[in-house]
Structure formats: C-alpha cells, structure tokens
Amino acid sequence: MRIPVRKQVMWWGIAALTLLVTLWLLGQAVLPFILGAGIAYLLDPLADRLERAGLSRTMSVVVITFAVVLAFVAIVLLVMPILVRQATALIETAPEMISQARGFLDTRFPNLIPQGDGLQQTLTDLQATMGDQAARLASTVLGSVTGVLGTVALLVIVPVVAFYLLLDWDHLVAAIDDLLPREHAATIRQLAAEIDDALSGFLRGQGVVIAILGTWYALALMLVGLPFGFFIGIMAAVLSFIPYVGVLIGGATAIGVALFSFWGDPLWIGAVVAIFALGQIVEGNYLQPKIVGGHVGLHPVWLLLALSVFGALFGSVGLVMAVPMAAALGVLARFLIARYRESSLFTGQALPAEPSQPILVEMVPAGTVAARMRTARMDADRARSQQQIEAMQENLARRDLQG
C-alpha cells in the first residue's frame, strides 16, 4: 500500500528538523567534520582525474593530501605573517586617517559637518574610541584567528577526516544512493545533481577567481607603493566571494589609504583607482563568465541572506554551511516553483483524478474451464491409482520376504 504524500512530508520534515536541532546543539563539535567533508567534496574531482590518469585511489589521495598540506604550510609561513603585520598596522593607523579626513573636510568644506547637532562630537568620540581600542581589537581578532588555526580540531581532525572521506567518497555516494526511497529516487538524484552543479561550480570557480584577483590586487598595490597594499588586495579578493562586496570594500579602503598616503600626487591615486577598475572589468567580462559560468544560480542577495541567517542561528558552523544550504535551497525553491506552476493552485483548473488500475479479464472459448476441471480430476484419479499400485507392490514384496 502506498504511503500518502502528506505522511511522507511529515516524516521527512521531522528528520530535517532533527538534523537542524542536532547541528545547533553540537555547534563547534561538528565544525571540523563539516570542514573535512567540504574539503573532500571539493577535491573528489581531482582524485577521479588522477585515477583516470592511472593512479590508484589511495595513491591519488596521498598525492593530493601532500600537495594541499604543502600549500597550507607555505601560506601559513609566507603569507600569514605579512597579512597579520599589515592588518595590525592598518587598524592602528585608522584613527589618524579619520582625523586627517575630518580636518580636510573642516578646512575645505566648513559647513558640510554641522557643529551644533552633535555630529562633530560623534566623530571625535569615534576617533578616540578607535585610538584606544585599536591595539585591543587587533590582538583580539588576530588572537582568535591564531587560536582557531592552532587548535587540534582544525590542524589534525580536519585533514584526517578529509583524507578518509576522500578515500571512500565514491563508496559513500553509492551507499547513500542505495538508501534513497525507491519511489522518489529519480527525483532526488536529479535535484542532487543540480545542487552539485550549482555548489561545485560556485565554490571551485570562485576559488580560482579569488586566487587570480588576490594575486593581481596584492602585487599591483605593492608595486605602486600603497601602504598595507598586500593586505588590502587579499581582503578585496576574498570578499569578492560575494559579488561586488569585495571591490566596494577593498576599493574604498585602498582609495582611502591612497588619499592619506599620496595626497598631492594624483598620479599614484589614479593608479590605485585604475588597478581596481581593471580588476573589476576583467572579473566581470572574463573571469566570472569563463570560470564560474552562468549556470550557478546563487544570487548575491540570496547568498548574503543565507550567510546572515545561518550565521545567526548556528554561529561559525552556520557560516560554513551557508553556501551549501543556499545552493540546496535555491534548487529546491526552483523545483517547488515548477511544481506549483503545474498545480491547480496556479492554473485554477482541477487536475483529473488518477485512473484506477485496470481489471484484467481473460477471454477464453466456452467450455474451457469445464475441460480443465475434467483434466484435473483425471490427473488426480491417475495419481491415486498409481499410489495404490505402488502400495500393493510393496505389500507383495514384503510377503515374499516373510515367506
């Protein structure tokens, strides 16, 4: 008997709610495992490609793990010290930049900032607060980053989880496929393929775009001599994970630092503006269309909403899960909208009832049933006669033995 759709939705809804509650209760405990699973998911196509090249699955995973660990160590030893040093200096210099900007506005545009409505005092208090808290903020932020990177969970558990999941990824996918409800297996596979296409296209493509933009911004800003240029370039590239956010925040920061450092030399200020303008042109016209593609379907507003909601609900775990959940919810939303357009709620027309199962009636010539019954009775009589003959033969043989 087929289970009603309403009951199926109820049970699957209970399962999804249980999963969300579990994630909310466990919090940081599951973060290393989620990160490990995400790394394995991103590296699985590379492992498959190495397998097709002739390596075994184990050797492919070992090669990938060695390369990733080597790259991570290189970044920590070569890049992180520069980022930490420039981020600290930028935070400490920010109050002086604000003071200089305020002095410039007071001198050139004395009526732009009214003096009597408290806005001037607000800016003064903001400058004092930033000056007092700069060192504390820098030590807190950088200490938190160092603490996260130095935890056993991220340095030991994540690589181990990623290694074993990457080793058994194909078997895990096959096992999950075997557990799918048979009635909806084809639909679930189609939705999973669309989610995989959206998620993998966004993450892998955006990772390549971030690497290219980070290299361009960091090196170009350092070449023009912009203070903190390496940090600002990397920050702008990483924030470009959300379209237009990186170029707005990074560009505004870079231009502000350029005005503070190169005032009176418009050539270098124009060079900083040109660097971000060129980066934005290349990203919008070549990198995004060629690398990420137009099939991803993760709208910037939808991505920002997912980051805000899941971050508020689940903390750091929610921030990690925001992009996958945004991709999944986007695909499910499009699927439900398509179903809604096919339903009577949209069309206003009642759908015809599903036809009942046909009753199969076998048409045979007259007298067929009676003939089959006579044949069956004759077969039964013949079997009984045979049994009686065999019994009589056994009795005669027994008497001969006794005589």
Side-chain angles (χ1 to χ4, degrees):
M1 181 179 178
R2 185 175 181 271
I3 301 177
V5 176
R6 182 176 299 178
K7 183 173 291 187
Q8 295 184 46
V9 172
M10 181 187 69
W11 285 114
W12 284 111
I14 293 174
L17 181 61
T18 303
L19 178 61
L20 293 177
V21 172
T22 302
L23 289 176
W24 181 70
L25 292 176
L26 293 178
Q28 297 292 331
V30 299
L31 181 59
F33 299 92
I34 295 176
L35 289 175
I39 294 173
Y41 168 77
L42 292 176
L43 296 178
D44 177 66
L46 181 58
D48 294 338
R49 184 170 300 178
L50 291 177
E51 279 191 283
R52 290 192 296 268
L55 295 179
S56 65
R57 183 72 180 189
T58 302
M59 185 57 63
S60 301
V61 174
V62 170
V63 171
I64 293 173
T65 303
F66 178 77
V68 170
V69 171
L70 187 63
F72 177 77
V73 172
I75 291 174
V76 170
L77 294 180
L78 300 178
V79 178
M80 286 301 296
I82 302 176
L83 289 177
V84 170
R85 184 170 60 252
Q86 292 195 3
T88 305
L90 179 60
I91 293 175
E92 292 175 349
T93 311
E96 183 181 353
M97 294 182 183
I98 294 178
S99 176
Q100 181 174 340
R102 192 186 66 179
F104 173 80
L105 292 176
D106 288 341
T107 303
R108 299 295 180 89
F109 308 99
N111 297 324
L112 182 63
I113 303 179
Q115 303 293 325
D117 59 354
L119 181 58
Q120 184 73 21
Q121 184 62 36
T122 300
L123 294 176
T124 303
D125 294 341
L126 176 61
Q127 177 187 351
T129 301
M130 291 189 66
D132 295 338
Q133 302 297 328
R136 183 181 303 176
L137 177 62
S139 61
T140 301
V141 173
L142 299 177
S144 299
V145 173
T146 305
V148 170
L149 295 178
T151 57
V152 176
L154 292 180
L155 291 182
V156 177
I157 298 179
V158 170
V160 171
V161 171
F163 178 85
Y164 283 106
L165 287 181
L166 185 59
L167 191 63
D168 297 329
W169 189 263
D170 295 335
H171 299 290
L172 291 174
V173 172
I176 293 174
D177 185 79
D178 289 338
L179 295 176
L180 296 179
R182 297 297 93 183
E183 182 181 358
H184 307 291
T187 302
I188 295 176
R189 291 191 191 103
Q190 179 185 353
L191 293 176
E194 294 179 7
I195 293 172
D196 175 67
D197 181 64
L199 184 58
S200 62
F202 182 81
L203 291 179
R204 297 187 183 101
Q206 200 66 39
V208 175
V209 172
I210 288 175
I212 296 174
L213 289 179
T215 303
W216 162 250
Y217 286 145
L219 294 180
L221 292 177
M222 290 176 64
L223 287 176
V224 301
L226 182 71
F228 328 116
F230 187 79
F231 171 75
I232 294 174
I234 298 297
M235 177 190 68
V238 172
L239 290 178
S240 65
F241 183 79
I242 305 172
Y244 307 111
V245 173
V247 68
L248 290 177
I249 297 179
T253 305
I255 293 173
V257 174
L259 291 173
F260 176 78
S261 305
F262 302 141
W263 185 255
D265 195 352
L267 175 64
W268 296 113
I269 298 176
V272 172
V273 175
I275 288 171
F276 277 89
L278 181 60
Q280 183 64 22
I281 292 173
V282 173
E283 179 189 5
N285 294 279
Y286 181 78
L287 296 180
Q288 288 288 346
K290 299 294 184 180
I291 298 177
V292 179
H295 63 282
V296 174
L298 285 180
H299 195 275
V301 176
W302 180 252
L303 187 59
L304 284 172
L305 178 62
L307 290 170
S308 301
V309 172
F310 286 99
L313 292 177
F314 305 106
S316 57
V317 177
L319 292 176
V320 174
M321 293 293 294
V323 175
M325 294 302 296
L329 292 176
V331 172
L332 292 177
R334 289 191 291 270
F335 173 76
L336 293 176
I337 290 174
R339 288 297 181 90
Y340 162 70
R341 290 182 177 276
E342 297 173 356
S343 68
S344 59
L345 292 176
F346 179 78
T347 62
Q349 303 293 327
L351 297 177
E354 295 183 1
S356 58
Q357 294 294 330
I359 300 176
L360 300 179
V361 179
E362 184 180 2
M363 303 298 295
V364 296
T368 301
V369 176
R372 290 180 178 177
M373 291 178 64
R374 287 195 300 268
T375 303
R377 283 197 297 268
M378 292 173 62
D379 291 339
D381 294 340
R382 190 178 298 109
R384 282 196 301 268
S385 299
Q386 186 64 32
Q387 291 176 356
Q388 291 175 0
I389 292 172
E390 291 177 355
M392 291 174 61
Q393 290 176 350
E394 290 178 1
N395 291 333
L396 290 175
R398 191 179 301 111
R399 289 177 185 176
D400 291 340
L401 290 176
Q402 292 176 357

